[in-house]
Amino acid sequence: MQTLIAFVLVLIFISLATVRYRLNPFVTLFSAAVVYGVLAGVPVESVVGIAAEGAGKIFALLGVVVFAGSVIAKVLEKGRFQERIFSDLRSFTHRPALTGGFAGFILAVPFMCCITAFIVISPLLSCFSDKKKAIYGAAIGSTLSFSLIYPTPVTIAAASAAQGFSAGEYMTVALPLSIVLLLAVGIGIGRQKSTAEGGDMVCAPETGRRAWIPLLLPLALTAAAVVWPVFGKGSISAALLVGMAGALLVLAPDLRYAALKDGTKHAGVIIYDLCGAGALGATIMASTFATDAFALFGDAVPPVLVPFLLGILLQAAQGSRVVTAVITATMVLSSDYATAIGQVPLMLMIAAGTLSVSAFSDPFFWVVRNASGDSVPAVLWRYALPLSAASLVIAAVAVIIEMAV
């Protein structure tokens, strides 16, 4: 009971620090890790060391992929390559929500960050007369791929809890599911009342087809690394580093240096935040919280639903999808649920948890609100609600797969 009370108090602390006072996520999460450890009965002399070790494990897991993704994002931005990519996608569909959705969906994976993908593509959405539909499509598309497609920080963290994880087996379910959800949301947004004034603008890209190289090269190499993991568990990191190097070579030397410099700075901010999540997860696991929490569920909750319920609680409290995935996966890994649930349903349930609550504590919520200029209720209706609905669909699919096995 002591650990459960400590956990609730720390969630309240995180919510106040991040939502109300907008404190730095790393400082908030690392402080929360120390506070939780002390309240939960972890030996005081060990708390800081355990938190630091947890942060280090997350850096080892995600540091390289986040760095490479951040630099690739800056390559597209400095070279203005996103203009050509957006223009090409627009030639397939003139629906603002679907064009924005597929642009965000594609960019979020190599960028390793859904918010970065949205920020890079959002200036181009003004080409549409109904810019708001494109904005919501891009936000939802980037979030869906970031939470479902392997490899991203969310799915890499979730995979750490899946026994005998097979990327191919998981992606045969996750990829078509995510595309169907994106199409459904895009069509749904498209049917909403239009706010367009006049016709679409002509936004002609200044770059040629080589603009796709910095995007497709890392994706192709990552796919190859999944099929042929030459470097073992480090194969994806190695593939993204090579892809990043190839992307940099497309730029002129002066832009190459600027992209590397800005990408490194951006990656540092992201990885520190993720390391804060690792610190909190480590102190939680050093206590008896997992045992106490899972005992609370008992036989009343089917095992397959437990990761989803934990994810909802964590996502509502602090808003970061990666933090939710890291802590949920860490807790599941230390329990019997890791072997009791199939790898695909387990990963889908963790992904569903990260999408469950996309409101006030979610930093992306406020980014979308600023970009759209809409009221809070409007953003809840057009961004948070579709993602919550997608979360329930994903959870339902996971239950069906688990029951069928």
Side-chain angles (χ1 to χ4, degrees):
M1 184 60 70
Q2 179 184 357
T3 60
L4 297 176
I5 295 174
F7 185 69
V8 171
L9 292 175
V10 164
L11 290 183
I12 294 172
F13 166 75
I14 292 172
S15 297
L16 290 173
T18 56
V19 178
R20 182 177 178 84
Y21 297 106
R22 306 281 177 168
L23 295 183
N24 176 277
F26 175 76
V27 173
T28 299
L29 291 169
F30 198 92
S31 300
V34 175
V35 171
Y36 172 83
V38 173
L39 293 177
V42 178
V44 177
E45 65 274 12
S46 303
V47 170
V48 175
I50 291 171
E53 184 178 349
K57 288 181 178 179
I58 291 299
F59 184 86
L61 180 67
L62 300 175
V64 173
V65 297
V66 169
F67 168 70
S70 296
V71 173
I72 292 168
K74 293 301 178 181
V75 167
L76 263 70
E77 185 178 333
K78 299 295 182 183
R80 299 182 66 179
F81 297 143
Q82 75 272 27
E83 296 177 8
R84 165 58 65 181
I85 294 171
F86 181 82
S87 176
D88 289 346
L89 289 174
R90 192 179 175 189
S91 65
F92 288 98
T93 173
H94 291 284
R95 296 185 178 186
L98 286 177
T99 303
F102 277 107
F105 186 89
I106 292 171
L107 294 179
V109 176
F111 287 8
M112 295 291 154
C113 179
C114 54
I115 297 179
T116 301
F118 178 80
I119 291 174
V120 168
I121 202 68
S122 58
L124 302 178
L125 303 180
S126 58
C127 294
F128 287 108
S129 58
D130 198 339
K131 177 182 176 181
K132 289 186 179 182
K133 288 183 179 180
I135 286 174
Y136 286 110
I140 292 171
S142 62
T143 304
L144 284 174
S145 64
F146 185 67
S147 295
L148 279 169
I149 301 302
Y150 184 85
T152 65
V154 168
T155 52
I156 290 173
S160 66
Q163 299 295 307
F165 172 71
S166 168
E169 184 179 346
Y170 170 71
M171 285 298 288
T172 56
V173 176
L175 182 58
L177 176 59
S178 60
I179 292 175
V180 168
L181 289 171
L182 177 59
L183 288 171
V185 171
I187 293 172
I189 293 174
R191 291 179 177 177
Q192 295 176 3
K193 184 178 179 181
S194 176
T195 59
E197 296 181 1
D200 291 348
M201 296 171 56
V202 177
C203 297
E206 298 180 2
T207 55
R209 302 297 181 189
R210 69 189 180 96
W212 283 91
I213 295 175
L215 179 64
L216 295 181
L217 179 61
L219 287 175
L221 291 173
T222 301
V226 171
V227 178
W228 299 291
V230 178
F231 296 99
K233 293 182 178 180
S235 296
I236 290 175
S237 297
L240 282 169
L241 281 177
V242 175
M244 178 198 76
L248 284 168
L249 291 175
V250 178
L251 291 176
D254 56 333
L255 295 178
R256 193 181 305 156
Y257 173 79
L260 186 59
K261 178 182 177 181
D262 292 351
T264 302
K265 186 185 300 183
H266 182 65
V269 174
I270 296 174
I271 195 60
Y272 259 100
D273 294 349
L274 301 183
C275 287
L280 179 57
T283 54
I284 288 175
M285 299 321 304
S287 70
T288 61
F289 176 80
T291 303
D292 297 340
F294 293 137
L296 194 63
F297 291 119
D299 297 328
V301 178
V304 70
L305 292 179
V306 172
F308 180 50
L309 297 177
L310 286 173
I312 292 174
L313 178 63
L314 291 165
Q315 186 63 26
Q318 49 75 43
S320 168
R321 292 177 176 82
V322 180
V323 173
T324 296
V326 168
I327 297 179
T328 303
T330 303
M331 292 177 63
V332 170
L333 188 60
S334 67
S335 70
D336 294 335
Y337 291 104
T339 54
I341 308 172
Q343 58 146 326
V344 173
L346 175 56
M347 289 194 61
L348 290 177
M349 282 300 188
I350 294 176
T354 67
L355 294 168
S356 59
V357 183
S358 302
F360 310 109
S361 60
D362 177 8
F364 204 172
F365 178 89
W366 302 106
V367 172
V368 174
R369 188 197 176 198
N370 290 336
S372 65
D374 279 342
S375 64
V376 168
V379 182
L380 286 171
W381 175 256
R382 305 182 76 179
Y383 167 74
L385 185 60
L387 288 177
S388 295
S391 171
L392 293 175
V393 172
I394 295 166
V397 171
V399 171
I400 293 171
I401 294 174
E402 182 68 9
M403 291 176 64
V405 175

